[in-house]
Amino acid sequence: MALVNQKKIYDITVIGGGPIGLFAAFYAGMRNSSVKIIESLPQLGGQLSTLYPEKYIYDVAGFPKVRAQELVDGLKEQAYHFEPTVCLEQMVERLEIHQSDGSIRLLTNSEEHYTKTVILTAGNGAFHPRKIELPEGEQYEDTNLHYFIDDLEKFRNKNVMVCGGGDSAVDWALMLEPIAKQVTLVHRRDKFRAHEHSVTKLKQSSIQLKTPYVPVSLNGGNGFINSVTLEQIKGGVTDTIAVDDVIVNYGFISSLGPMKDWGLIIEKNSIVVNSKMETNIPGVYAAGDICTYDGKVKLIATGFGEAPTAINNAKSFIDPGAKVQPLHSTSIFA
């Protein structure tokens, strides 16, 4: 892997170094294309590495379950086989098509890059957690109020409260159950938005469920929360629960950022593509959660299929004589 920027025109530049971007970079190498990855975060892996590296993922083909960071590590090893150029901590701010040769100029916050094609794999774009709406919340963010989890062991034998009702909240609660002393899951509704199988496991677990309740006060001293006061929705009943740590999983707020000003067709914060993963800008493709089309299902597994489609069509765009249908990998590595 090269961590340098050479002023040359790459065949394919992948914007976004998450799981789909890493697989796209690998597949670009499979098509004998020079490839560069531009990532805004300090490390590759996207949301898997940043938000839930310890979380198990269950819907990747071939893995009954795999920790998010383990999946990222495997994808990195796979992509590095072809030694892509990697540029970290760079946000692409502008995309310009050179009319003379059709090449693309990408301007980041620190330098410029040149490429023949672009694959957009930036997930949901720039993101930050939806925070708890309590005035005292901010003072505990550096101690025991958590929006991200990077090490499950820090919660061993502790009383942990998880707030939220989606997949992340339920999954974290289930993963913490055998580690923590007690897990309490707080949700404002009686029904959870997580996968049915996860909800079934939740109801069979020892996790204390507080529904329909919301946190109304974080109580503490010396910079640490020691209890949380909950209030029942509509009923007005309150309950104060002692805690060692509070984890908030209210989802994330995302934005396409500068990409929304590049002239792309956008619907509901997603970039519209066709069956070739082409956007409306020639030479610019998209794959993964950042793109949309009729019948789109936002899963990592889906993105893993879209990435080769984008790469193979980008290869044909660069070289009209190249086949869109590639050789099987067994033939390439034989």
Side-chain angles (χ1 to χ4, degrees):
M1 177 187 69
L3 280 169
V4 295
N5 289 306
Q6 302 173 12
K7 292 298 183 278
K8 73 172 188 177
I9 300 178
Y10 282 76
D11 291 327
I12 297 172
T13 295
V14 179
I15 300 179
I20 310 308
L22 286 167
F23 192 59
F26 161 74
Y27 217 91
M30 291 273 283
R31 294 305 308 264
N32 201 29
S33 300
S34 59
V35 62
K36 174 183 284 184
I37 302 172
I38 303 178
E39 168 58 52
S40 62
L41 295 172
Q43 74 284 323
L44 296 172
Q47 293 189 23
L48 295 191
S49 291
T50 304
L51 305 184
Y52 40 83
E54 290 287 319
K55 185 177 175 182
Y56 280 116
I57 298 172
Y58 298 93
D59 54 3
V60 176
F63 293 92
K65 67 176 183 178
V66 58
R67 289 189 188 275
Q69 190 57 52
E70 291 176 4
L71 178 61
V72 168
D73 291 342
L75 288 162
K76 287 165 64 175
E77 180 181 350
Q78 191 177 36
Y80 290 176
H81 179 83
F82 295 107
E83 299 184 344
T85 295
V86 177
C87 304
L88 300 176
E89 296 186 87
Q90 291 195 38
M91 171 71 76
V92 181
E93 296 174 344
R94 291 171 60 187
L95 181 151
E96 301 171 352
I97 307 292
H98 281 202
Q99 298 301 324
S100 58
D101 60 3
S103 65
I104 299 171
R105 176 175 179 252
L106 300 172
L107 232 63
T108 73
N109 53 309
S110 60
E111 59 180 311
E112 60 185 14
H113 307 265
Y114 292 89
T115 186
K116 296 175 184 176
T117 59
V118 168
I119 314 292
L120 302 173
T121 59
N124 292 315
F127 59 89
H128 60 273
R130 199 179 300 276
K131 296 189 176 184
I132 194 166
E133 294 182 354
L134 294 175
E136 65 272 20
E138 189 172 343
Q139 65 180 298
Y140 300 115
E141 289 181 7
D142 293 329
T143 54
N144 61 340
L145 175 61
H146 313 276
Y147 294 101
F148 309 117
I149 298 177
D150 56 8
D151 182 8
L152 285 170
E153 280 300 313
K154 70 173 63 173
F155 304 104
R156 184 166 292 280
N157 298 322
K158 292 186 176 182
N159 293 309
V160 182
M161 177 176 288
V162 180
C163 300
D167 282 307
S168 289
V170 172
D171 287 349
W172 280 125
L174 289 169
M175 290 179 69
L176 285 165
E177 183 193 15
I179 295 171
K181 181 179 179 180
Q182 175 65 57
V183 178
T184 302
L185 181 57
V186 180
H187 182 39
R188 64 182 297 112
R189 298 180 178 87
D190 286 320
K191 292 186 177 181
F192 291 89
R193 303 186 307 278
H195 281 95
E196 293 89 340
H197 178 66
S198 298
V199 175
T200 298
K201 288 177 63 179
L202 177 67
K203 292 179 178 178
Q204 294 171 347
S205 73
S206 64
I207 296 168
Q208 179 183 15
L209 302 180
K210 296 295 292 184
T211 65
Y213 278 86
V214 293
V216 292
S217 177
L218 305 177
N219 316 309
N222 299 319
F224 287 84
I225 305 167
N226 54 43
S227 69
V228 178
T229 300
L230 307 174
E231 183 175 86
Q232 190 178 44
I233 298 294
K234 295 183 180 179
V237 176
T238 60
D239 188 9
T240 299
I241 298 177
V243 297
D244 296 305
D245 289 275
V246 177
I247 300 167
V248 176
N249 289 133
Y250 288 161
F252 294 86
I253 301 169
S254 61
S255 169
L256 291 179
M259 283 186 283
K260 67 181 183 296
D261 300 319
W262 294 355
L264 296 159
I265 296 176
I266 296 170
E267 290 181 1
K268 297 180 180 179
N269 208 45
S270 297
I271 297 167
V272 176
V273 297
N274 61 17
S275 61
K276 297 180 180 181
M277 311 314 295
E278 295 173 318
T279 71
N280 60 300
I281 299 178
V284 179
Y285 302 77
D289 284 356
I290 199 169
C291 73
T292 189
Y293 48 83
D294 287 346
K296 167 78 174 188
V297 177
K298 291 192 175 186
L299 292 172
I300 291 177
T302 306
F304 284 157
E306 294 168 351
T309 300
I311 293 295
N312 288 324
N313 282 286
K315 175 71 175 179
S316 180
F317 178 86
I318 296 167
D319 178 9
K323 293 182 178 180
V324 173
Q325 180 63 45
L327 293 171
H328 294 296
S329 60
T330 50
S331 301
I332 295 172
F333 283 99

